Amino acid sequence: MNKLLIATNNKGKVKELQDLLKGLDIELVTPTDIGLKLEVEEDGANYEENAAKKASAFAQASGLVSLADDSGLEVDALDGAPGLHSARYHPKPGANDADRRAYMLENLQGKPRPWTAHFHATIAIAVPGGNVQLVDGNCRGEIIPEERGTGGFGYDPIFLLPELNKTMAELEMDEKNRLSHRARAVMNAIPILKNLFGRS
Ligand code: IMP
């Protein structure tokens, strides 16, 4: 085993995972690098099921150890929504990230602030033909009513880290990659990867 497939088609996640995993001395490849086109239906009952389904499908299709992330944003004033459905949180098909942010802010109108929230990420690491291992990470913050910043992806421009007074989209990638939900999940995944790839 010498290559790790970053099993996602989300460009924002690919960039962050490449940066988070670069110190490991493991060759990282993306689905595009190996000409793999695979869409996995995210119909699991929770993050773990979806992450495991994605990692296993990519491992099966590529023959490579595959790392998938299933993540979402849980907003307390929306009873934990959009959560597992964060990527599809809009009544209209074809909506984009900006539409979803606007829709979230519409749904929060009239609700008392602060709109506390957290991001969650579950990472699954699948070996072709078998074993799947799961780890996770969280990051707390609050939703703000106006977008700030141009970095990151998804809900980053409206997700404030109160202790820094910056949104996720105002952070440099290396800052986001020190404290995000995905960074914390990757930290928990590193011993598993080192073990699988025989790194000390
Ligand atoms: P999924 O893991 O493919 O189901 O997609 C997770 C969705 O959650 C993304 O499409 C984003 O909308 C949102 N999300 C996950 N992580 C982040 C993040 O780091 N920043 C902003 N939005 C995120």
Side-chain angles (χ1 to χ4, degrees), residues 146-160:
E146 273 125 38
E147 301 205 352
R148 281 168 41 183
T150 54
F153 68 99
Y155 299 94
D156 282 347
I158 56 169
F159 186 88
L160 183 79

Side-chain angles (χ1 to χ4, degrees), residues 3-89:
K3 286 184 191 169
L4 174 67
L5 178 65
I6 300 184
T8 176
N9 300 313
N10 177 318
K11 291 196 177 76
K13 286 188 190 177
V14 167
K15 270 201 225 150
E16 289 181 15
L17 289 167
Q18 280 174 325
D19 188 66
L20 284 164
L21 294 164
K22 70 184 177 203
L24 269 182
D25 186 32
I26 295 171
E27 187 183 344
L28 305 174
V29 291
T30 66
T32 315
D33 293 336
I34 59 167
L36 177 60
K37 288 203 177 91
L38 184 62
E39 288 292 338
V40 180
E41 200 188 341
E42 299 189 19
D43 55 1
N46 49 48
Y47 296 103
E48 287 76 14
E49 282 184 23
N50 280 340
K53 189 177 178 197
K54 288 188 267 188
S56 299
F58 275 88
Q60 205 56 37
S62 65
L64 299 172
V65 179
S66 298
L67 180 151
D69 150 309
D70 198 58
S71 44
L73 173 59
E74 306 195 355
V75 183
D76 298 326
L78 301 175
D79 298 323
L84 204 57
H85 309 290
S86 296
R88 300 168 293 282
Y89 180 60

